[in-house]
Amino acid sequence: MSAEVASLASSLIALAGGVDNIAHVDRCAVRLRLRLVDRELARVEPMAALPAVALAAWSGGEVHVVPRADLAALHRTVAAVVAARA
């Protein structure tokens, strides 16, 4: 895992309201999808402002994040952090 991916994952988790606020992590072809416990804790606009993020928005009750690079590594990293909390 690169330092850039680790840093972006850490920022996204924090802006999502912390690891305990992430109920599920998934991905599609271009987006990281975060299903949250409490959507009020999420700060999507600051996510979208991160230099490594092309887009962050609510869609279908989830936060969808389009990273500028390396979605697969970002998904693995965020999913591993979320899985490790238990």
Side-chain angles (χ1 to χ4, degrees):
M1 161 182 39
S2 74
E4 293 83 12
V5 169
S7 177
L8 178 56
S10 177
S11 295
L12 290 173
I13 290 167
L15 292 169
V19 69
D20 291 330
N21 196 42
I22 300 174
H24 184 74
V25 180
D26 202 356
R27 63 170 278 197
C28 62
V30 296
R31 295 171 297 201
L32 178 71
R33 297 166 33 179
L34 305 174
R35 189 173 319 128
L36 305 179
V37 175
D38 182 353
R39 87 179 263 149
E40 297 299 318
L41 296 177
R43 297 179 12 213
V44 177
E45 288 182 22
M47 283 182 192
L50 293 169
V53 172
L55 173 78
W58 286 104
S59 180
E62 299 175 324
V63 177
H64 289 210
V65 178
V66 179
R68 295 193 186 277
D70 215 349
L71 170 62
L74 180 61
H75 174 254
R76 281 191 307 272
T77 304
V78 173
V81 172
V82 171
R85 75 169 171 226

